[in-house]
Each structure stands twice: as C-alpha cells, then as structure tokens.
C-alpha cells in the first residue's frame, strides 16, 4: 500500500513561509496522510483512500481547495475536482461548482452514479444534491486571506488592463498555490488518483484549469501509474500532462520520476511550471516539481510519514492517529 499527496506547487520558500505556517501545513498534510493510510491499512480501496486524504485538505483553510479556495473575479469560489479509478479507468469530474462542500465527493458521484465523466456549474450542483452530498452556504469556503489576495489581484489587473491579454503573472497567486491531489495503491493492487482546486485567483469567464480535466490534472491506469498535477493549468492541459506521464511509463518504459521530469520539461517548454505526483502498481513513486516548492507527503506499509515543502529531501514524521 502507498499514498502520495500534494497540496500545490509554486513559489514556496523559507523566506516567505514562517515557521508557524510551516508547522500548520506539515500538520495538515500529516492528517491527510493518516486519513488515507487508515483506509488502505484496513483493506479499503485506493479510490476511498484518495477521497479520504483529499477531503481533509478540502476542509482545511490552508489549501486552495474546498474551504480556503481562491476567489474568482466576481468574488465567488468556483471549485474543480476529478477522480480516476485505475482498475476500470472509470472517471468523474465536476467544474465551476460553488456550494458542494467536498468537490472530490461530487467527482466520485459522477464516476459511480452517472453515465458521464464531467459535469459543470448548476447542473453539477443539482446532481450533487440528488446524490445526497453535503451542500453549504458559499460563506463556508471564505477565508479573509483569500479575499485580500483577490483585492490585490484586482488592483494589479487594473494596471495591465490596456493589454489585450493579461500576463499569467497578473492574476495568478504565485506564492499561495494550493491545489490538492492524491494518488494511492491499495492491497488489491489497484491505483487511483484525484485532484481538487479553487483554480486561479481572479479567474474570469468561467475559466477551468487542468485539475478536473482527465488526462491533464488527473490520470490513473493500473497498467501504468496514477498521477495528480498542480501548476499553471493551461500548460498542463496543453501537455496532456498526467496522461503523458502514464504513457511515458507504459509505452516508453520510463520510471515514475523520469516520466514526471520529462513531462514537466514539456510543460516548461510552453511556459508553464508546477509539480506532479506519480505512483505505479509496484509502489514506486515520485514527487517532482520545477517550482521552488511543493507541499507534499507520502506514507507506505510501515506507516511512517514523509513530508516536504521546499526543495530537498522529505522529512520523516510520525502520523497522528486517523480520526
Ligand atoms: N492547476 C491549477 C489550475 O490551473 C492551479 C494550481 O495547481 O495551482 O487551476
């Protein structure tokens, strides 16, 4: 069994992250690892482990997913999420949803209980209601920090309004990325992957990134690997990033780490950056990024947690008892 998680990649360095914040992120990642590990340990499925880990991060205000998601231009949170089952290549996704407490559960419901792969907006919300998922007031997702980030982004946008197209840097919140994702391998040898995000601060026009796009932000196939991505979504879509990683493993025989690096190079070649977590059916995994940091962690059979935020090796930590 193995679980690998990320909480977003970006400009994350020691100079910007206080020791307290670092401890908060480490604790949140540890709870997510513990929740997913508990599922795998008792023989649960990789899909359920991915959901358990992502739900913890969605409910944490620290990450840009669920509670604590970034705001769009209109001052609303619009969530995107997806999940894929490597045993069947079943997949589900929701995009631009605003009232579903845990978007990853809505993605799961689409996979399990609809003939479709992707539902958006009001339709996805109606489906989630029918499925009995928890619906919340949009205020549930709001944090003051994210609100301030929107005001800053709006101010920056005014400066660049003369241009036809805003440069990416004008509206992305570079040091506060925090898309979340998980990949898992269960006792039955099945892989699964999931990703959840609030997208980009100050996004407009119903913009949807890579996170809910199967093959871009998320991919799982027992014959190759499970993958979750974070980064400049447009470039991850244009690189079919998660699927590219999988096919480099399956068809080109690359290791998870080499396949991730080769894919990040493809993303970089068109001006993007970010990170990838990758896990194969033998338990070999990689947590790769071409940004200064990525919130990340993993746990295997022995129950020891490994967590990293900046570049360099992950640190061993003991996991809390799962709730
Ligand atoms: N990939 C996400 C998106 O484009 C953002 C991120 O990972 O920071 O919506």
């Amino acid at each position: 069994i193995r679980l690998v998680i990320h909480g977003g990649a970006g400009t994350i360095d020691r100079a910007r992250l206080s020791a307290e914040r670092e401890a908060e992120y480490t604790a949140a990642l540890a709870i997510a690892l513990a929740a997913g590990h508990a599922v795998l340990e008792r023989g649960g499925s990789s899909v359920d482990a991915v959901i358990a880990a992502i739900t913890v991060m969605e409910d944490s205000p620290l990450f840009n997913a669920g509670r604590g998601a970034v705001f769009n231009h209109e001052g609303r949170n619009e969530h995107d999420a997806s999940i894929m089952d490597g045993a069947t290549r079943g997949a589900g996704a929701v995009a631009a949803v605003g009232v579903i407490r845990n978007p990853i559960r809505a993605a799961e419901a689409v996979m399990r209980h609809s003939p479709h792969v992707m539902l958006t907006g009001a339709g996805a919300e109606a489906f989630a209601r029918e499925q009995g998922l928890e619906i919340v007031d949009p205020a549930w997702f709001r944090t003051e920090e994210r609100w301030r980030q929107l005001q800053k982004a709006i101010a920056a946008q005014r400066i660049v309004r003369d241009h036809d197209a805003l440069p990416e840097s004008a509206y992305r919140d570079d040091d506060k990325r925090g898309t979340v994702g998980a990949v898992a391998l269960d006792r039955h040898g099945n892989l699964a992957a999931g990703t959840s995000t609030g997208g980009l601060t100050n996004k407009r026009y119903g913009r949807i990134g890579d996170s809910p796009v199967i093959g871009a932000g998320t991919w799982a196939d027992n014959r190759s690997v499970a993958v979750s991505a974070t980064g400049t979504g447009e470039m991850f879509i244009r690189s079919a990033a998660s699927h590219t990683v999988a096919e480099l493993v399956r068809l080109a025989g690359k290791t998870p780490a080499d396949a991730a690096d080769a894919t990040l190079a493809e993303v970089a070649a068109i001006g993007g950056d970010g990170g990838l977590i990758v896990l194969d059916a033998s338990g070999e995994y990689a947590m790769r990024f071409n940004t200064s940091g990525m919130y990340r962690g993993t746990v295997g059979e022995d129950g020891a947690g490994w967590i990293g935020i900046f570049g360099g090796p992950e640190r061993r930590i003991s996991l809390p008892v799962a709730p």
Side-chain angles (χ1 to χ4, degrees):
I1 59 175
R2 171 69 54 186
L3 173 69
V4 187
I5 63 174
H6 71 75
T11 313
I12 309 164
D13 49 51
R14 281 181 207 281
R16 296 193 203 206
L17 196 71
S18 70
E20 279 141 42
R21 280 297 254 192
E22 184 180 342
E24 280 171 29
Y25 276 105
T26 302
L29 291 167
I31 295 169
L33 284 176
H37 183 253
V39 172
L40 296 173
E41 179 121 81
R42 61 172 182 258
S45 73
S46 51
V47 168
D48 287 344
V50 162
I51 289 169
I54 290 182
T55 300
V56 167
M57 294 187 281
E58 286 180 338
D59 284 346
S60 163
L62 293 174
F63 303 102
N64 173 20
R67 195 164 159 237
V70 299
F71 286 96
N72 70 5
H73 187 70
E74 290 76 33
R76 288 195 296 268
N77 302 112
E78 275 180 342
H79 311 267
D80 304 330
S82 65
I83 190 155
M84 189 163 182
D85 179 347
T88 60
R89 279 189 287 149
V94 292
V97 295
V99 296
I100 303 165
R101 172 167 166 173
N102 292 111
I104 194 67
R105 291 192 191 278
E108 181 200 16
V110 172
M111 174 173 81
R112 290 199 201 278
H113 306 300
S114 89
H116 309 300
V117 168
M118 190 185 244
L119 301 179
T120 64
E125 290 169 357
F127 176 75
R129 273 199 182 88
E130 276 174 36
Q131 292 294 315
L133 296 183
E134 187 174 348
I135 303 298
V136 292
D137 186 285
W140 160 259
F141 302 109
R142 180 186 171 120
T143 63
E144 294 316 307
E145 189 176 349
R146 296 300 192 194
W147 187 255
R148 278 197 302 277
Q149 286 166 9
L150 173 64
Q151 307 314 317
K152 263 171 48 186
I154 287 175
Q157 186 184 1
R158 283 205 190 97
I159 296 166
V160 293
R161 188 166 276 169
D162 288 350
H163 300 279
D164 283 352
L166 291 172
E168 182 82 354
S169 60
Y171 64 106
R172 76 167 294 126
D173 178 27
D174 240 341
D175 45 26
K176 288 287 188 317
R177 298 187 204 176
T179 294
V180 307
V183 293
L185 170 66
D186 64 27
R187 289 225 191 285
H188 317 286
N190 291 323
L191 293 168
T195 310
S196 181
T197 189
L200 304 181
T201 300
N202 203 22
K203 62 186 179 181
R204 294 181 83 170
Y205 311 120
R207 180 267 184 192
I208 293 169
D210 60 318
S211 306
V213 177
I214 298 299
T218 299
W219 185 259
D221 181 347
N222 279 1
R223 299 171 301 175
S224 54
V225 287
V227 186
S228 173
T230 171
T232 48
E234 283 69 11
M235 289 67 165
F236 279 72
I237 294 174
R238 291 163 59 200
S239 307
S242 293
H243 183 259
T244 297
V245 173
E247 297 303 68
L248 287 174
V249 170
R250 190 169 74 96
L251 300 175
K254 285 196 189 292
T255 63
D258 286 350
D261 287 345
T263 302
L264 288 172
E266 292 282 311
V267 169
I270 54 172
D273 65 12
L276 292 159
I277 55 174
V278 188
L279 173 63
D280 76 12
S282 76
E284 186 174 338
Y285 68 92
M287 304 184 273
R288 311 293 294 174
F289 47 98
N290 61 5
T291 50
S292 59
M294 177 167 79
Y295 299 106
R296 63 195 184 278
T298 185
V299 59
E301 197 74 57
D302 64 2
W306 293 87
I307 286 178
I309 296 179
F310 314 110
E314 292 76 35
R315 283 191 303 145
R316 192 187 161 128
I317 54 134
S318 52
L319 296 186
V321 178

